[in-house]
Amino acid sequence: MSLMRRMRDITVATLNERLEQAEDPIKLIDQYLAAQKEQIVESEKLHCHMMAHAGSLRQQVASAEQLRDKREQQAMIALKAGEEHVAKMALQEKLLQEEKYEQFKGLYEQSKQAIVELEEQIDQYKRDFDEVLSKRQYYMARLESVRLQKRMNESMRGGYPGVNGRTFSRLEERISDLEIEAKSLRDVRQLGRELAHAGSAMQQTLEHELSQLRNKLEKEGWLK
């Protein structure tokens, strides 16, 4: 396992452990996402530098290979011409270019392998980022559910108690009592009006009888 992979595993494991103990998981996740995003940006910059370096190494390999082959051809031509000294000089240069070719080829292969590992690591960083971002959305949804549940509980605690059958029964009794009281009051008022009317009629009758009796007495001479 590469050093970068071990660092990544330690980071994710630490995050999971801290999430289980965090009072504010959203804040912790945001901190991790910010650090992870910065890591991705820095890794992508490093990738650009490594690609440029690999390109330079590839040119060195190609140049050494080309010059090596060229010196070998020159040595063959010189040897055919009987110029052994020139052929040796060309072969000496060929050996130097051969050594350079092998050295830079090794560096180039190492560079390509490092680039592959870095690309894999960047992809892993991005997957981790997306995974943690998804967790953030999940925790946000959970916190919102808790907040709404809390508001609902407060609303229910501060409101009126639920209406049940006994409530309606008591209400029915109260309304019936009020109706009886209202009817009794109407009956009393009606009786008062009837008595007043009866009293008025009786008074008129008495006055009429009294008038007739007075007239009778006047005729008989008892009254003047």
Side-chain angles (χ1 to χ4, degrees), residues 68 71-97:
R68 178 200 64 187
R71 292 294 183 259
E72 184 177 5
Q73 291 293 328
Q74 289 174 341
M76 291 177 62
I77 293 173
L79 190 59
K80 289 178 180 179
E83 298 181 2
E84 184 175 339
H85 177 68
V86 175
K88 287 182 178 180
M89 292 179 60
L91 288 175
Q92 184 178 3
E93 180 66 19
K94 175 202 170 184
L95 293 175
L96 291 175
Q97 294 301 321

Side-chain angles (χ1 to χ4, degrees), residues 52-137:
H53 179 61
S56 176
L57 292 175
R58 185 175 63 252
Q59 290 179 355
Q60 292 286 351
V61 171
S63 176
E65 182 180 22
Q66 183 179 10
L67 192 54
R68 178 200 64 187
D69 295 342
K70 182 178 180 180
R71 292 294 183 259
E72 184 177 5
Q73 291 293 328
Q74 289 174 341
M76 291 177 62
I77 293 173
L79 190 59
K80 289 178 180 179
E83 298 181 2
E84 184 175 339
H85 177 68
V86 175
K88 287 182 178 180
M89 292 179 60
L91 288 175
Q92 184 178 3
E93 180 66 19
K94 175 202 170 184
L95 293 175
L96 291 175
Q97 294 301 321
E98 179 71 27
E99 182 180 6
K100 181 179 179 181
Y101 169 80
E102 293 296 336
Q103 291 174 342
F104 277 90
K105 183 179 180 181
L107 292 175
Y108 177 59
E109 294 298 331
Q110 292 177 9
S111 178
K112 288 197 301 181
Q113 181 61 34
I115 289 174
V116 170
E117 290 185 4
L118 180 59
E119 289 174 345
E120 292 177 352
Q121 189 60 49
I122 291 175
D123 290 340
Q124 186 62 56
Y125 283 151
K126 291 180 178 180
R127 286 194 294 270
D128 290 344
F129 184 90
D130 292 339
E131 178 183 352
V132 175
L133 181 61
S134 178
K135 285 185 178 181
R136 184 187 189 279
Q137 295 169 345

Side-chain angles (χ1 to χ4, degrees), residues 169-183:
S169 178
R170 290 194 298 269
L171 181 60
E172 182 70 24
E173 293 176 0
R174 178 58 180 162
I175 293 175
S176 297
D177 291 342
L178 292 174
E179 289 175 343
I180 292 173
E181 291 178 4
K183 185 176 184 301

Side-chain angles (χ1 to χ4, degrees), residues 145-156:
S145 297
V146 171
R147 186 182 69 84
L148 293 176
Q149 182 67 41
K150 183 178 179 181
R151 287 181 58 187
M152 185 185 73
N153 293 339
E154 292 175 351
S155 175
M156 293 176 64

Side-chain angles (χ1 to χ4, degrees), residues 31 60 64 68 88 106 112 139 146 159 161 167 192 205 212 217:
Q31 292 174 350
Q60 292 286 351
R68 178 200 64 187
K88 287 182 178 180
K112 288 197 301 181
Y139 280 113
V146 171
T167 301
T205 302
Q212 288 183 345
L217 291 175

